[in-house]
Amino acid sequence: MKITELFFTALRSLLTNRRRSILTVLGIVIGIASVITIISLGKGVEKATLKNLQASSSGKQSTVVDYYADDLNSTASGFEASDLALINASQTSFGLVKADIVSDNDGSAESEASINGADQNVTVKLLKHPSSDLEILSGHNISQNNIMLADPVALISKKLATSFYSSVNQALNTSVTINGISYQVIGVFKEDMGLDDVAISKTTYERSNNGEAGNKLKLTFNRGENVSKQTKKIVSLLNKQGSHHLQGSYEHMDMGAILKGVGSVINGLTYFISAIAGISLFIAGIGVMNMMYISVSERTQEIGIRLAIGASPKSILLQFLLEAVLLTGMGGVLGFGIGCGLAWLISLFLPFRAVVGLESFILAFGVSAIVGIVFGIFPARQASKKNLIDILK
Amino acid sequence: MIRLERLNKFYQQGDEKIHVLKDVSLQIQQGEFVAIMGPSGSGKSTLINIIGFLDHQFMGQYRFKGESMIDQSLSDYARLRNQNVGFVFQNFKLISNLSVAENVGLPLLYAGHRRKNIADQVNDVLSSVNLQGVGAKLPMQLSGGQQQRVAIARALITRPSFLLADEPTGALDSHTSQEILKLFIDLNHKSRSTIIMVTHDFQVARLSQRIIRILDGRIESDRSVDQ
Ligand SMILES: Nc1ncnc2c1ncn2[C@@H]1O[C@H](COP(=O)(O)OP(=O)(O)O)[C@@H](O)[C@H]1O
Ligand SMILES: [Mg+2]
C-alpha cells in the first residue's frame, strides 16, 4: 500500500476511537507543552540578555541613570551642567567616553514657559514627526519641514490660549518662550484627554536644552568596560554630590542584572521541568503502548482480513506504527501550541518576550514521534506477526 | 494452473502432531468450477487455505502456473494472494468500520493504487454483483446476502486468477444461497472465472462441474458432474 494511503488508514482508525485516542495522548500533550514553555522563556531571556549587552554600532555600550524627585510635582531637572562637570572630572577612571543629559524621551517634558509676559509651568509635547492626533482649531499644524529645519514654532492648547489671550485667534503669531528660546505660535489645538499645553519640535527643544538640564543621563562607555559596575559607581557619586541629591535620588535600573537573575532561575527550572516532562512522556508512552496492544487484540479480525486480501506483514506493521506515531505526533503538535501560548502568557508578566523557534517545533514533533516509534513498535510487530490461519478459522 | 503433488499437512497440538492432509494430489485448470465436499473436520478448509496462499507451512509440492510455492517468502505470499486469489468466506469477513466501497476497494490499495483513482472500478464491480448505490453504507446496514455479495465484489475487484469460497452459503438462508450460487455460476459461465468452492451440501455442489470429496484428509473421489 502506498504510504499516503497507510497514513489515511491509520488516521481513520484513530478517529474511530476518538475519545480513547485523546485520553491516551494527554500525557504527551502535557509533557511537550511544559518543555516548550520553559524553553521558550529560556530563549526569551537569553535573547533579551544579549540585546541588553549588545554594544552600539560603534562598539560602545551605554547605560541610563534616571533622576526621581522626592516631590512628585516638582518640574526641576535632576541633571545640570555641574553634574556633567562632576562626572567628567573623573571620566577616565569610569572608562567613560561621554555623558549626556537627555530630556525625557517619552515624548513630553515639564518646563517653565513665559507667555504674554507671565511665567507658567507647562507640559511640553515633543514632536519627532508631525502629529495628526492633534485637532487644530486655528492656524495650522507643525509640518515635517518645520521639524526637519528645527523651526522655533509652537502649537498651544486652547486652554492655554484662552487663559492668556482674549480669543483663540488672538494667540496666533504671538510667542512663547521655553528654555530661553522664543517659539512662534502657529496654531491652537483642542486638548481632549491629553495633558499637553504646548507642542514643539523635539529637535528644536533638544537644541535649546543643549545638554543643560533633564532627568536622564546617558552614559557611553568604552568597549569592554564593566558598564554595570561603573554605572553603579557614578550613581553613588551622584547621590552624594549631585546637584539635586537632596531633593531626590539618582537611580539606575540594571536590566543586565535583572535578566541574569531571571535567566538563572529559568535555567534551574528548565532542568526540573525537563525531568518532570521526561517522566510524563515515559508514562504517556506506556499508555500509548497499552492502548496499541488493546487495539491490536480488538482488531484481530481486521488484521486477518487485511492479510488475506493481500496486505504484507510489513504494511500491517507500518499501519499500526503509523497509528502510534500519528497519535503521539499530534499530541506533540498540540503540546507545542499550548506551550507557545503559555510561554507568551507568562512572559506578559516578565521584562522580556518568550521566543519560539523552528527548532522548538522540531524538538516537540521529534520527541513525540520518537515516543510513538519506541512504544508503538512492539504492538505493531505483534499485529504483523499474527497467525492468519488462526484468525480466519 | 494449480497443481498439488503429495501434499501433507500436520498441525501441532500440544505434544501431538495431527496429520490433517494425507498425500493430496490434484490439478485444477483455468475456468473450472470445482466443489470440494466432505464432512466437518475432514480438512477442506486446510486444503483451500494452502491453495489460496494463506498457509505456507506444508509438505509436498505446490506449483502455481508452473512456479513452485515452496521457497516463496511471506511477502511473496502476500503479493500472490493480492494478485491471484479472491476469497469469499462463510462469515463474509468485511471490516466493520469501513464503508462498503472502502471494503471493496481495499485489495486495490494493497496492490498499490491510490484511493482517489479507484472509485470507478469499485462502482463497476458493485453493479456487477447487483449492489448499486450501497457504497457509502456500512456492512452492518446490509442483509447477509448483500454482505456476501460485497465480499464477492471485493474478491473480484483485482481480477484474480481464481475465486476461493469456503462455505459461502453456510450463513445464509436457502433463498439467498440460491442467489449467491447463481452469481457464481454466472461468473463461471460469462467471465470464465475459475471457482473453487467448499461445501458440505450436495445440492450446492452439484451446480458445479467437478466434485472432489475429501474424507479424513484424503481425496476419496474426484469426478465431473453429469449434466
Ligand atoms: N490451527 C489449527 N491447529 C490445530 N488443529 C487444527 C487447526 N486448524 C484445523 N485443525 C484441525 O484440522 C482438522 C481439519 O480442519 P478443517 O480443515 O478446518 O476441516 P473442515 O474445513 O473440513 O471442517 C480438524 O480436525 C481440525 O480440528
Ligand atoms: Mg472448514
Side-chain angles (χ1 to χ4, degrees):
Chain A
M1 200 189 278
K2 288 218 165 18
I3 192 83
T4 47
E5 301 301 341
L6 272 177
F7 185 85
F8 280 119
T9 305
L11 193 62
R12 278 282 307 255
S13 321
L14 287 178
L15 292 179
T16 311
N17 273 315
R18 211 162 305 195
R19 187 179 318 174
R20 186 201 278 176
S21 305
I22 290 171
L23 287 176
T24 306
V25 89
L26 217 53
I28 308 249
V29 175
I30 293 169
I32 295 286
S34 45
V35 171
I36 292 299
T37 307
I38 197 70
I39 285 180
S40 307
L41 289 175
K43 275 188 189 300
V45 76
E46 193 173 297
K47 190 174 161 195
T49 309
L50 272 180
K51 204 169 147 196
N52 189 255
L53 294 178
Q54 215 164 42
S56 70
S57 51
S58 58
K60 299 180 176 99
Q61 299 176 59
S62 59
T63 56
V64 170
V65 179
D66 294 289
Y67 168 76
Y68 298 100
D70 295 334
D71 175 6
L72 293 175
N73 295 321
S74 161
T75 59
S77 295
F79 294 105
E80 290 179 0
S82 62
D83 297 308
L84 291 181
L86 176 71
I87 293 165
N88 284 333
S90 36
Q91 184 178 19
T92 42
S93 77
F94 289 133
L96 266 179
V97 176
K98 59 176 176 156
D100 301 299
I101 297 171
V102 289
S103 59
D104 298 353
N105 58 7
D106 59 356
S108 71
E110 299 294 327
S111 187
E112 197 148 278
S114 133
I115 308 172
N116 206 3
D119 286 343
Q120 164 96 2
N121 278 333
V122 292
T123 305
V124 183
K125 186 179 176 79
L126 301 172
L127 301 175
K128 278 192 207 160
H129 309 285
S131 167
S132 51
D133 297 342
L134 297 174
E135 188 186 331
I136 303 297
L137 298 171
S138 177
H140 53 88
N141 207 335
I142 292 177
S143 69
Q144 181 67 44
N145 234 5
N146 292 143
I147 289 175
M148 253 159 47
L149 299 171
D151 288 338
V153 291
L155 304 174
I156 62 172
S157 70
K158 185 184 168 201
K159 192 174 118 208
L160 202 62
T162 50
S163 61
F164 285 90
Y165 299 101
S166 55
S167 76
V168 165
N169 285 333
Q170 287 288 314
L172 286 181
N173 296 319
T174 61
S175 72
V176 44
T177 307
I178 298 165
N179 269 344
I181 288 203
S182 171
Y183 296 83
Q184 190 192 6
V185 176
I186 58 167
V188 175
F189 62 88
K190 182 177 171 190
E191 67 284 78
D192 281 324
M193 279 159 278
L195 299 165
D196 304 311
D197 303 305
V198 182
I200 56 178
S201 139
K202 181 169 174 159
T203 39
T204 320
Y205 177 82
E206 304 260 279
R207 193 168 295 176
S208 72
N209 199 17
N210 207 17
E212 293 301 314
N215 285 325
K216 265 187 204 300
L217 180 71
K218 187 176 175 192
L219 302 168
T220 308
F221 293 90
N222 284 316
R223 186 196 287 262
E225 206 58 57
N226 182 340
V227 297
S228 150
K229 195 169 135 205
Q230 298 291 26
T231 307
K232 253 184 219 147
K233 278 198 218 160
I234 293 174
V235 168
S236 71
L237 176 70
L238 283 169
N239 277 325
K240 277 182 215 131
Q241 299 175 35
S243 59
H244 285 70
H245 75 274
L246 296 175
Q247 290 85 26
S249 62
Y250 298 93
E251 287 168 21
H252 165 56
M253 185 154 104
D254 190 349
M255 267 320 262
I258 293 174
L259 287 172
K260 220 167 140 189
V262 176
S264 67
V265 170
I266 288 182
N267 272 343
L269 273 178
T270 303
Y271 291 114
F272 177 68
I273 289 183
S274 300
I276 303 267
I279 294 168
S280 156
L281 286 174
F282 184 77
I283 293 172
I286 291 174
V288 169
M289 189 151 148
N290 188 37
M291 169 187 152
M292 291 308 295
Y293 270 126
I294 292 172
S295 181
V296 167
S297 80
E298 279 178 355
R299 286 155 64 193
T300 301
Q301 276 297 316
E302 177 192 329
I303 294 166
I305 295 167
R306 286 179 184 275
L307 286 168
I309 62 174
S312 61
K314 198 180 113 203
S315 80
I316 297 290
L317 181 129
L318 268 178
Q319 179 191 333
F320 280 88
L321 192 58
L322 261 176
E323 255 177 58
V325 173
L326 213 58
L327 187 69
T328 58
M330 288 193 292
V333 171
L334 190 64
F336 174 78
I338 292 175
C340 291
L342 215 57
W344 174 78
L345 214 64
I346 292 173
S347 72
L348 288 182
F349 303 99
L350 294 172
F352 58 86
R353 293 287 151 262
V355 174
V356 181
L358 179 66
E359 62 276 13
S360 301
F361 181 80
I362 292 171
L363 179 82
F365 191 74
V367 166
S368 52
I370 287 171
V371 169
I373 292 173
V374 168
F375 292 95
I377 190 81
F378 296 103
R381 276 169 63 100
Q382 198 195 49
S384 72
K385 292 232 160 88
K386 290 232 177 215
N387 187 325
L388 186 48
I389 302 300
D390 287 342
I391 300 175
L392 295 178
K393 248 199 310 200
Chain B
M1 182 168 66
I2 292 166
R3 190 186 176 96
L4 304 178
E5 283 158 27
R6 299 180 62 101
L7 203 73
N8 282 278
K9 169 77 186 176
F10 297 88
Y11 276 122
Q12 191 75 41
Q13 209 163 42
D15 296 337
E16 265 184 288
K17 237 180 173 187
I18 335 174
H19 199 176
V20 183
L21 293 179
K22 298 164 186 164
D23 280 339
V24 172
S25 298
L26 63 85
Q27 287 188 40
I28 295 170
Q29 308 301 331
Q30 172 85 49
E32 277 193 277
F33 186 174
V34 183
I36 297 177
M37 287 194 72
S40 182
S42 55
K44 308 180 294 290
S45 296
T46 305
L47 176 62
I48 70 161
N49 285 348
I50 292 172
I51 293 177
F53 314 113
L54 289 172
D55 190 355
H56 62 106
Q57 291 166 318
F58 56 85
M59 289 155 81
Q61 180 59 282
Y62 175 13
R63 285 182 188 280
F64 176 69
K65 292 184 175 169
E67 209 178 326
S68 170
M69 291 302 112
I70 289 172
D71 306 316
Q72 310 277 350
S73 70
L74 277 183
S75 59
D76 290 333
Y77 264 87
R79 208 191 53 249
L80 282 163
R81 287 197 291 273
N82 184 247
Q83 293 176 354
N84 296 299
V85 196
F87 290 101
V88 179
F89 299 96
Q90 178 174 358
N91 44 8
F92 325 135
K93 301 266 185 224
L94 300 173
I95 297 178
S96 58
N97 61 349
L98 296 185
S99 73
V100 165
E102 286 173 309
N103 267 290
V104 172
L106 205 50
L108 288 181
L109 297 187
Y110 283 111
H113 293 267
R114 287 185 183 283
R115 209 166 290 236
K116 55 176 195 251
N117 298 335
I118 60 173
D120 287 344
Q121 264 170 284
V122 169
N123 286 334
D124 288 350
V125 78
L126 275 176
S127 38
S128 77
V129 296
N130 284 321
L131 276 180
Q132 293 93 335
V134 301
K137 292 196 174 167
L138 289 174
M140 296 272 277
Q141 296 169 295
L142 303 183
S143 70
Q146 285 175 313
Q147 289 190 49
Q148 193 59 301
R149 278 187 278 157
V150 173
I152 294 169
R154 180 182 64 189
L156 291 173
I157 197 159
T158 53
R159 302 177 181 284
S161 308
F162 58 94
L163 287 184
L164 277 186
D166 195 348
E167 308 204 25
T169 60
L172 302 174
D173 61 62
S174 63
H175 175 72
T176 318
S177 297
Q178 288 307 312
E179 279 179 19
I180 297 294
L181 288 170
K182 193 169 169 302
L183 191 57
F184 278 125
I185 293 167
D186 274 359
L187 282 169
N188 178 248
H189 283 181
K190 292 189 186 140
S191 322
R192 302 285 303 137
S193 298
T194 311
I195 299 174
I196 303 166
M197 179 174 68
V198 169
T199 180
H200 51 242
D201 183 348
F202 180 70
Q203 295 309 316
V204 170
R206 81 191 168 82
L207 296 171
S208 71
Q209 300 160 350
R210 171 182 168 193
I211 298 177
I212 299 174
R213 286 179 190 274
I214 299 199
L215 189 63
D216 198 17
R218 278 184 211 283
I219 295 189
E220 189 196 33
S221 70
D222 181 350
R223 30 179 113 90
S224 55
V225 177
D226 314 316
Q227 293 305 323

